[in-house]
Amino acid sequence: MSGMTGAPTGQTRKQRILDQIIQQLSRDLELLLSAARTAHEASIHEDNVPENKYDTMGLEASYVAQGQANRGQEIRQAVQEYRFLTLHPFDDDSPIRLTALVTLRAGDDGTAKNVFIGPREGGLKVMDQGEEVMVITPASPLGRSLIGRQQGDCIETGSGAGIREYEIVQVG
């Protein structure tokens, strides 16, 4: 957790996490665009010219290529959004909002979890000095539970048997 002695805190840590998010998304984009090119080439390759109306190999490859191109555009937009993201400072009394780095402690087993509230790409995980940080968005269930809360608050997320309780240990 970032509150430990010698651990990085504040804007420096968040900038490092932001840089890692951008790097990871950029790598994902490169891989996806390469896969899209391969799928496009497969869709137009002479071996995939339909021999009859039931031969859909080329059509299927073109659908895959289009889906990958669409996802590539989404990642490209996310990279731009993160590049221009302003990291907001937080103190003990600041309500949680976009760009907060939040450390949560699970009520059932005491495990710690670090989340960065970003505009897109919820679920993306990056490592910061041996600690996993997961990106969540304000629209996610956990994000909705955190927005507007403060350090020291407790939240619940999930439903039924899947309800989890967390204490907000730190907001940076």
Side-chain angles (χ1 to χ4, degrees), residues 7-140:
T9 59
Q11 296 299 96
T12 303
R13 182 170 189 218
K14 285 198 323 189
Q15 185 61 56
R16 198 171 49 246
I17 290 167
L18 179 61
D19 291 344
Q20 288 183 38
I21 291 168
I22 292 167
Q23 289 171 7
Q24 181 64 46
L25 288 172
S26 296
R27 283 191 300 270
D28 291 352
L29 180 60
E30 287 176 28
L31 286 170
L32 193 62
L33 292 178
S34 175
R37 281 190 296 276
T38 301
H40 175 71
E41 290 167 7
S43 73
I44 60 173
H45 192 273
E46 65 185 39
D47 288 344
N48 289 329
V49 173
E51 295 176 7
N52 59 52
K53 66 180 183 177
Y54 301 108
D55 188 358
T56 60
M57 183 73 103
L59 182 61
E60 291 168 7
S62 71
Y63 288 152
V64 169
Q66 185 60 52
Q68 290 171 328
N70 291 347
R71 178 67 181 129
Q73 185 60 29
E74 291 171 3
I75 294 174
R76 187 177 287 115
Q77 290 170 350
V79 168
Q80 288 298 19
E81 207 165 330
Y82 276 103
R83 281 192 176 132
F84 293 104
L85 191 62
T86 300
L87 294 174
H88 302 288
F90 292 86
D91 60 29
D92 293 349
D93 299 321
S94 297
I96 295 172
R97 64 183 174 135
L98 200 61
T99 79
L101 177 59
V102 182
T103 302
L104 303 168
R105 183 174 25 244
D108 57 352
D109 62 8
T111 57
K113 171 189 247 181
N114 297 300
V115 297
F116 177 81
I117 303 190
R120 294 172 160 242
E121 300 303 313
L124 179 73
K125 295 176 183 177
V126 296
M127 295 299 290
D128 180 56
Q129 297 194 338
E131 293 182 345
E132 184 179 85
V133 178
M134 181 167 47
V135 176
I136 64 169
T137 66
S140 70

